[in-house]
Amino acid sequence: MPKTSARLLALLSLLQTRRDWSGTALAERLDVSLRTVRRDVDRLRELGYPIAAVKGPDGGYRLGAGTDLPPLLFDDEQAVALTVALQVAATTPGNGLAEPAARALNTVRQVLPARLRNRIDALRITAVERPVTQPCTPVDGHALLAISAAVRGHETLRFDYGTEAADAPPRRAEPHSVITWGGRWYLVAFDLDRDDWRTFRADRITLRTPNGPRFTPRPLPGGDVATFVTSRFRGSATPSGSWPCRGAVILDLPAATVALYTRDGIVEELGPDRCRLTLGSWSWPSLAAAIARFDADVEVVGPPELTRAFAHLARRFARTAAGSSA
């Protein structure tokens, strides 16, 4: 690489590491004169990098955001991380960004040095979705950007939702976050008409323009968006996001076996073929059914609601078995 080009890349890398640099500090790091620093800054500006001059005793420089996309500089680890992220986006259905992500991945790959291109080509990501009765509906990328802009700008959103009547007034909501859950995109927002926090599927939102007035953000129940969303999808009324029904049992199975099929429970070893399982669910019958799938003898530790749920299911299954044998 020519010396000047290498120096320009080094200068750009330094400008990206912190907000402000004095001309003297840059000259010392690059082992060049102040005049060379000024000349190199001018070259970077010609390439499209918005480098602003900072006033001060020695003068200085700051790399800002521009109106055009200039050439980008990545180290090896950043380049690998970028291509992996683009592969994930390109192979994930329903995000509305698969096609542009694939094009971006192809663009980045073409300019990678051979040593990195070989590493990337060896990594092939295939997204395998869980079978569902209704596949995720793709979300328009422009709609996601518009919703996200309203989140950032604290602007009230007006939108039609799902299959509501055409003459129904638009929903009015104060947007808080855009999240993904189970392969779908959701908007977490405070519904002004229902005076409550809600989650809206992004693929069912049809935006009305213009947006409503700006608002002062409200505190989210639970303290953070992960806790709030987890509690809503678990059907929990508690702000902690814990399951509304939680119990413990002893199973006649090795702890290692139970742990393989337990996603968010706690498994404690009690012996070579015996363990304690603490698990949660949205109802007591569903919790009892989840435990019964291990096909082992069960001893309920507590609470009594779980014991009653097992009895309830036993009576129901007995009726079913009696009807089948009749």
Side-chain angles (χ1 to χ4, degrees):
M1 180 182 292
K3 185 176 181 180
T4 300
S5 299
R7 193 176 63 245
L8 288 177
L9 290 176
L11 173 59
L12 182 58
S13 180
L14 289 173
L15 290 171
Q16 291 174 331
T17 58
R18 72 188 195 200
R19 181 173 176 82
D20 295 326
W21 280 90
S22 69
T24 302
L26 289 173
E28 291 176 353
R29 291 291 295 271
L30 298 172
D31 195 22
V32 296
S33 65
L34 279 172
R35 181 179 179 182
T36 300
V37 170
R38 288 193 292 269
R39 200 163 50 231
D40 288 348
V41 167
D42 288 338
R43 290 193 180 100
L44 289 176
R45 286 169 174 163
E46 291 173 359
L47 291 173
Y49 290 96
I51 302 175
V54 179
K55 294 181 179 180
D58 298 324
Y61 302 97
R62 175 184 302 165
L63 180 63
T67 57
D68 299 314
L69 184 65
L72 300 177
L73 174 65
F74 299 106
D75 60 31
D76 287 6
E77 291 183 350
Q78 289 174 321
V80 171
L82 175 63
T83 52
V84 170
L86 287 173
Q87 281 201 53
V88 172
T91 57
T92 302
N95 63 11
L97 302 173
E99 191 272 335
R103 288 190 289 109
L105 177 61
N106 185 59
T107 300
V108 172
R109 183 188 176 280
Q110 290 180 11
V111 298
L112 288 176
R115 68 179 188 280
L116 290 181
R117 191 182 305 118
N118 292 334
R119 290 175 61 186
I120 297 304
D121 289 345
L123 177 63
R124 296 296 180 184
I125 299 174
T126 302
V128 179
E129 295 294 309
R130 292 188 304 171
V132 293
T133 56
Q134 184 177 2
C136 298
T137 304
V139 179
D140 180 68
H142 296 291
L144 281 179
L145 289 176
I147 295 172
S148 298
V151 170
R152 181 176 182 179
H154 306 311
E155 296 178 350
T156 302
L157 280 175
R158 301 166 58 251
F159 56 91
D160 299 320
Y161 190 64
T163 57
E164 294 178 342
D167 57 350
R171 294 285 191 99
R172 299 180 306 120
E174 297 176 351
H176 183 278
S177 301
V178 176
I179 62 106
T180 59
W181 180 283
R184 298 188 189 276
W185 292 86
Y186 293 87
L187 167 67
V188 176
F190 186 83
D191 191 319
L192 293 172
D193 297 311
R194 289 156 180 79
D195 195 32
D196 191 16
W197 287 92
R198 298 293 172 92
T199 55
F200 300 95
R201 273 179 48 178
D203 59 290
R204 295 180 176 177
I205 292 176
T206 302
L207 294 174
R208 294 273 195 102
T209 56
N211 291 339
R214 292 180 179 271
F215 62 90
T216 300
R218 305 167 187 260
L220 190 66
D224 63 84
V225 67
T227 300
F228 170 78
V229 172
T230 299
S231 66
R232 287 301 172 105
F233 281 102
R234 285 179 170 178
S236 175
T238 64
S240 65
S242 59
W243 288 109
C245 300
R246 191 172 179 86
V249 298
I250 295 175
L251 297 175
D252 288 342
L253 284 174
T257 301
V258 175
L260 287 174
Y261 305 100
T262 303
R263 185 173 182 179
D264 58 355
I266 300 174
V267 182
E268 303 169 79
E269 184 176 3
L270 300 179
D273 296 305
R274 192 172 168 84
C275 68
R276 175 183 173 126
L277 171 64
T278 303
L279 198 63
S281 189
W282 56 86
S283 72
W284 292 111
S286 68
L287 178 57
I291 295 170
R293 66 190 173 94
F294 287 102
D295 191 22
D297 288 340
V298 179
E299 176 186 338
V300 176
V301 177
E305 290 87 349
L306 181 56
T307 301
R308 290 194 289 270
F310 274 111
H312 170 72
L313 291 182
R315 292 190 296 270
R316 176 178 293 172
F317 293 157
R319 289 194 299 269
T320 301
S324 300
S325 60

